[in-house]
């Protein structure tokens, strides 16, 4: 299950909504919605996310969180380490080899380290972050 799928399931359960009811309302099949929840489909597109937010009547901070979860919920990713430090390539490969065997606590530790680094980078307004924002503005 992906972080987005987990959140969707939680929202459905809290509101007592079945997969079929939600699927009918947002215009997708219940099989697709189930696959999305279980991480068997890639992350949803922007229009589907908007329909889901509308269906659950989610706004503001909670909507931003759902959008963030969708963005980090692609179940099959590719990491391009070309041009990076060789340790980045090693890390990506070792993580790919070991991720299925890592316990939840270990995953939490790794995520805390990454989030801490991300927060420091954002606070410092790193040049690479600024360049990424410029590219994002240019491409849409």
């Amino acid at each position: 299950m992906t972080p987005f799928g987990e959140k969707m399931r939680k929202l459905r359960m809290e509101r007592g909504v079945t997969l079929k009811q939600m699927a009918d309302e947002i215009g997708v099949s219940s099989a697709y919605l189930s696959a999305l929840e279980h991480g068997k489909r890639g992350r949803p597109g922007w229009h589907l996310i908007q329909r889901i937010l509308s269906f659950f009547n989610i706004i503001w901070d909670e909507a931003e969180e759902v959008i963030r979860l969708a963005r980090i919920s692609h179940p099959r990713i590719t990491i391009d380490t070309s041009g990076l430090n060789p340790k980045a390539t090693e890390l990506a490969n070792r993580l790919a080899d070991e991720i299925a065997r890592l316990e939840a606590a270990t995953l939490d530790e790794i995520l805390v380290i990454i989030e801490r680094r991300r927060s420091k980078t954002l606070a410092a307004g790193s040049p690479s972050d600024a360049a990424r924002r410029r590219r994002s503005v240019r491409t849409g």
Side-chain angles (χ1 to χ4, degrees):
M1 186 171 281
T2 65
F4 178 77
E6 183 177 49
K7 178 68 171 182
M8 258 190 5
R9 174 171 280 177
K10 181 180 176 205
L11 289 167
R12 278 193 319 96
M13 295 298 126
E14 288 173 352
R15 290 163 169 84
V17 176
T18 67
L19 268 173
K20 175 124 177 66
Q21 290 168 329
M22 183 176 171
D24 289 345
E25 191 67 32
I26 65 173
V28 297
S29 72
S30 55
Y32 173 78
L33 204 53
S34 176
L36 193 58
E37 277 190 9
H38 288 91
K40 305 225 185 291
R41 294 297 301 243
R43 64 181 154 226
W46 179 250
H47 295 292
L48 180 56
I49 294 170
Q50 292 303 307
R51 290 193 308 251
I52 291 167
L53 293 174
S54 177
F55 175 77
F56 287 122
N57 196 26
I58 298 173
I59 57 172
W60 306 111
D61 291 345
E62 191 177 7
E64 286 181 21
E65 176 65 5
V66 169
I67 293 166
R68 184 188 74 78
L69 291 173
R71 189 173 51 250
I72 63 168
S73 287
H74 201 299
R76 294 176 186 230
I77 60 157
T78 301
I79 302 174
D80 181 1
T81 61
S82 58
L84 299 179
N85 183 310
K87 289 185 182 214
T89 301
E90 179 185 359
L91 174 62
N93 280 278
R94 291 185 68 184
L95 186 57
D97 288 343
E98 297 295 325
I99 198 160
R101 292 184 290 279
L102 295 177
E103 297 176 1
T106 303
L107 294 170
D108 287 340
E109 288 175 30
I110 294 168
L111 288 169
V112 164
I113 291 167
I114 292 170
E115 185 56 35
R116 205 178 295 141
R117 179 66 187 145
R118 180 178 174 273
S119 295
K120 283 181 185 177
T121 302
L122 290 175
S126 77
S128 62
D129 195 46
R132 192 173 21 250
R133 282 193 298 267
R134 282 194 301 276
R135 278 195 306 272
S136 144
V137 169
R138 274 190 235 130
T139 60

